[in-house]
Amino acid sequence: MQEILLSLRHITKNFGEGDILRDISLDVHRGEFVTLLGASGCGKTTTLRIISGLEMPDEGQVILDGKDMTALPPESRPVNTVFQSYALFPHMNVEKNVAYGLRVRGADKHTIATRVQEMLELVQMQDFAKRMPAQLSGGQRQRIAIARALAPQPKLLLLDEPLGALDLQLRRQMQLELKRLQKKLGITFIYITHDQEEAVNMSDRIAVMRGGRFEQLGTPEEIYDAPQTRYVAQFIGRSTILMGRVETVGAESAVVSTPNGRFTVDASRARLAAGETCELCVRTERMKASAEPVEGFDLPATVQEVRYAGGSVLTYVHLSDGAEAVATGEARMADAPQPGTRVYLHWNPAQAAVIGGASHGA
């Protein structure tokens, strides 16, 4: 059983315009990479600031390594933060920036020199020790900010959208480097982002936030393959969602009736009972379109638009009730169906998520 390093217990925060955080609780295990994912204003940064001690909660507790840290100032917590802005000292060279936290904590010169060298080698910046921040690229400055945060060996590292200012290619490269560092050092990371791809690629678990609450907490696979709410299904990736009602439930499968037809679903994806309302969520890359109906499906649609998406073709369609759907295929644009033509949608029933049902309070 994994040891819990951090516990947020019933945290509430109000800045005078309504609750920013609304009774949130979270356990983070030692050595885990947890991402807080959500749109702007959902409470991600406020949660991070409360963990670091930069904000005090109105209610609740912050327990770190078995100790109540709720009322302690930031300097008394074994926590460091990496910001999107890097926050490097412009008048200090790389070496002195990395050494800063160690000097503040009173480490001796030998310890500082050894640790700074270790950290620069860890982030592959040992040849830049005498450079000033202004002489570094964005990716290099980010590496130094990470090295500085890791140098004092914090028990917990908080990262507030640290890759947001980088271009796409460099951001993806840094994602791999950050994950490598986290696994190598075994330090617990709590990471903030609004980038769904980043969260899915890097995290052990993701907490999807909305309106100051956790909408869903789970592994990337659980969040993506089994979204518990429509918001999560639409925020993470792209999906077609069909409203429906459960007709029958068997040991392994259930039948859901929708305005666009009746479909079989995997009963293990949700605890369903006959008569309940629910929604079928089919990820765009799992929705397929064919010229003829596929056995078990009778879902005709009219093609509205076809787009090339770098190795795949996206077919945008309207269903008979006016709802929109998107199917993915590997055909060339020349072979794609033309706007105005009739196609039939289908998918693997085991890959359709069921939103609602008894497990989700429907």
Side-chain angles (χ1 to χ4, degrees), residues 69 190 204:
M69 300 278 174
I190 298 183
D204 296 319

Side-chain angles (χ1 to χ4, degrees), residues 181-242:
L181 282 175
Q182 191 264 337
K183 288 302 181 186
K184 181 176 181 178
L185 297 173
I187 293 178
T188 307
F189 278 22
I190 298 183
Y191 192 94
I192 278 184
T193 185
H194 61 270
D195 186 318
Q196 301 95 322
E197 179 184 338
E198 194 166 271
V200 169
N201 288 344
M202 299 177 70
S203 313
D204 296 319
R205 285 191 299 155
I206 299 170
V208 181
M209 296 191 70
R210 180 191 186 195
R213 292 186 183 274
F214 293 138
E215 189 87 354
Q216 185 173 347
L217 175 65
T219 65
E221 184 177 9
E222 290 168 343
I223 296 290
Y224 191 82
D225 287 344
Q228 294 180 358
T229 68
R230 173 182 279 262
Y231 177 81
V232 173
Q234 293 177 326
F235 189 75
I236 308 290
R238 293 182 293 183
S239 304
T240 295
I241 297 178
L242 303 174

Side-chain angles (χ1 to χ4, degrees), residues 86-314:
Y86 316 137
L88 297 178
F89 298 111
H91 60 287
M92 294 182 185
N93 65 19
V94 163
E95 190 175 58
K96 291 179 179 178
N97 261 285
V98 176
Y100 179 79
L102 296 166
R103 290 205 309 272
V104 168
R105 288 164 174 79
D108 61 75
K109 290 184 178 180
H110 175 73
T111 299
I112 291 175
T114 301
R115 187 66 179 163
V116 168
Q117 182 65 22
E118 289 175 351
M119 290 298 97
L120 291 179
E121 289 177 358
L122 187 68
V123 298
Q124 302 173 24
M125 290 290 289
Q126 61 268 32
D127 296 334
F128 296 81
K130 302 302 181 183
R131 295 258 187 112
M132 302 301 287
Q135 297 174 306
L136 303 175
S137 67
Q140 290 170 336
R141 289 197 296 271
Q142 188 57 275
R143 287 188 179 92
I144 299 306
I146 292 167
R148 184 179 65 182
L150 291 172
Q153 297 178 297
K155 293 181 179 179
L156 177 63
L157 188 64
L158 310 176
L159 301 103
D160 190 356
E161 303 208 45
L163 309 183
L166 305 180
D167 62 62
L168 179 60
Q169 184 175 356
L170 183 55
R171 190 161 69 242
R172 287 176 172 168
Q173 178 185 339
M174 287 299 297
Q175 288 173 16
L176 296 175
E177 291 190 19
L178 267 179
K179 187 64 176 177
R180 175 185 62 83
L181 282 175
Q182 191 264 337
K183 288 302 181 186
K184 181 176 181 178
L185 297 173
I187 293 178
T188 307
F189 278 22
I190 298 183
Y191 192 94
I192 278 184
T193 185
H194 61 270
D195 186 318
Q196 301 95 322
E197 179 184 338
E198 194 166 271
V200 169
N201 288 344
M202 299 177 70
S203 313
D204 296 319
R205 285 191 299 155
I206 299 170
V208 181
M209 296 191 70
R210 180 191 186 195
R213 292 186 183 274
F214 293 138
E215 189 87 354
Q216 185 173 347
L217 175 65
T219 65
E221 184 177 9
E222 290 168 343
I223 296 290
Y224 191 82
D225 287 344
Q228 294 180 358
T229 68
R230 173 182 279 262
Y231 177 81
V232 173
Q234 293 177 326
F235 189 75
I236 308 290
R238 293 182 293 183
S239 304
T240 295
I241 297 178
L242 303 174
M243 297 292 298
R245 181 176 295 275
V246 181
E247 283 192 358
T248 60
V249 180
E252 298 182 354
S253 63
V255 175
V256 174
S257 176
T258 78
N260 297 288
R262 299 165 70 249
F263 305 101
T264 300
V265 300
D266 187 339
S268 67
R269 304 302 291 268
R271 294 197 300 272
L272 298 170
E276 288 184 325
T277 59
C278 65
E279 296 169 298
L280 289 185
C281 167
V282 184
R283 294 298 186 184
T284 294
E285 68 274 13
R286 294 168 179 167
M287 179 76 79
K288 304 301 177 184
S290 59
E292 301 294 334
V294 172
E295 184 178 356
F297 294 86
D298 184 12
L299 190 55
T302 303
V303 176
Q304 300 298 309
E305 184 180 1
V306 179
R307 296 180 188 172
Y308 181 69
S312 61
V313 173
L314 300 180

